[in-house]
DNA sequence: TGTACATCAGTGAACGCGCGTTCACTGATGTAC
DNA sequence: TGTACATCAGTGAACGCGCGTTCACTGATGTAC
């Protein structure tokens, strides 16, 4: 049945929120649109009123995830005089490692996105650009921004992949990468 | 029909070779066992005489890929007095970026493996351990080995994800990460 | 303000398809005599 | 060395299942009078 325009917009946001969380947790091929819609309190048919296809849906879900990631970084700016340091500490924490559904879309989905031509790859690239720009602003050094982001993403992926089978190695990776990034500054 | 034991072993190796290549290129969920078996010159039914399940097959394919990666590094040892530098240069090249099927299993599959409990995650963890150990031997510094591997993996993943939509950024990432890793040494 | 009705967001059955896995069968291998 | 036959690697049809997508339908919304 029809719903109000405000409710329709809320439903759209719920679909994006659920997709952004479930795709980061399970990968683009690890969860179906029916399950995501169910998580958002809707049925799968309603998806195609809001999005053209699963790929377009996934791409918008990535935009949503990137927005939240950049907002988090900006929120540190207001409170903290070393916003990037706090961001890194949170990024390379066990909590963030163990909750990919609410974490970085790059670490969770960039490897997947590299194999998907079309809207997902384009969105992922824009997200990477945004993070490099955000880091560059805060480090005043684009090269340093790129190497910092690379190490954070790589370290988190290694820590996630080894968490189940070798917990101490996983923790060691988080701590070591965090330590290496903290050295140059204060 | 039955086949000689030597041929059966060759077939098994062909199955592993095809799987290791296609899984790295398309991800664990991006290609089916039937297509892999066809690529190896066999039918999908023959798989289950060699491997217990797709997950066990995928895990053995990872072992195969890691063996080839470590062999490559060892081959540099014999020829080169800076084997790790040559390895990094090859790793962060456009050729390696554009050919994930023959490249690093960590960069291609670690994010996928983190979501798969069982044999795949265990094998991926062992592969990560092996690379950290191999880097530690050649750098005499375990922490430096970990940060180097993290930056290489992260940089390659970012470069691959951005290659289609922003080729110049992708190249800039490869060059910047490579440059940062070359600075400390000679 | 109240009524009649066109609009359209959401539903859920149905579609074709490819997946991982099974299994009765085939026929070359390799052993026993 | 030659023959009879048990073994077993590989084949391909068939299975149940979940996928992305479509579409006739429902019924509340919101507009026209």
């Amino acid at each position: 049945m029809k719903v109000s325009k405000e409710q329709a917009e809320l439903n759209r946001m719920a679909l994006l929120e659920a997709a952004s969380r479930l795709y980061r947790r399970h990968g683009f091929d690890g969860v179906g649109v029916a399950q995501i819609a169910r998580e958002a309190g809707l049925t799968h048919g309603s998806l195609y009123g809001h999005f053209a296809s699963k790929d377009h849906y996934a791409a918008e879900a990535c935009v949503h995830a990137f927005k939240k990631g950049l907002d988090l970084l900006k929120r540190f700016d207001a409170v903290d005089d070393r916003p990037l340091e706090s961001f890194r500490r949170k990024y390379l924490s066990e909590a963030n490692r163990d909750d990919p559904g609410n974490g970085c879309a790059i670490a969770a989905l960039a490897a997947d996105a590299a194999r998907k031509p079309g809207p997902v790859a384009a969105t992922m690239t824009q997200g990477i650009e945004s993070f490099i720009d955000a880091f560059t602003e805060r480090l005043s050094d684009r090269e340093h921004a790129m190497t910092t982001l690379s190490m954070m993403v790589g370290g988190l992926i290694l820590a996630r992949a080894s968490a189940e089978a070798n917990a101490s190695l996983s923790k060691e990776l988080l701590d070591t990468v965090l330590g290496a990034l903290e050295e140059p500054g204060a």
Side-chain angles (χ1 to χ4, degrees), chain A residues 18 41 93:
Chain A
S93 68

Side-chain angles (χ1 to χ4, degrees), chain A residues 73-139:
Chain A
L73 181 51
K74 279 175 197 155
R75 225 173 306 132
F76 279 128
D77 285 337
V79 186
D80 205 317
D81 60 334
R82 282 190 226 290
L84 208 54
E85 192 179 317
S86 303
F87 186 76
R88 281 191 309 243
R89 226 190 311 264
K90 181 161 179 155
Y91 195 97
L92 293 162
S93 68
E94 289 179 280
N96 188 46
R97 178 197 63 192
D98 297 336
D99 188 18
N102 292 300
C104 173
I106 301 177
L109 295 170
D112 275 28
R115 299 173 193 124
K116 298 219 173 207
V120 172
T123 297
M124 181 58 64
T125 302
Q126 280 169 29
I128 291 170
E129 289 168 8
S130 301
F131 267 94
I132 291 173
D133 290 347
F135 278 27
T136 302
E137 279 175 32
R138 287 160 185 81
L139 290 166

Side-chain angles (χ1 to χ4, degrees), chain A residues 21-69:
Chain A
R21 206 154 19 83
L22 291 176
Y23 280 140
R24 277 179 284 173
R25 175 144 44 158
H26 299 113
F28 292 124
D29 296 322
V31 60
V33 293
Q35 190 183 330
I36 301 175
R38 207 180 311 127
E39 190 95 355
L42 294 162
T43 57
H44 56 281
S46 68
L47 259 170
Y48 293 87
H50 291 290
F51 309 101
S53 70
K54 181 189 171 162
D55 275 2
H56 287 85
Y57 182 34
E60 291 219 45
C62 283
V63 172
H64 184 81
F66 278 120
K67 227 175 265 171
K68 289 183 84 174

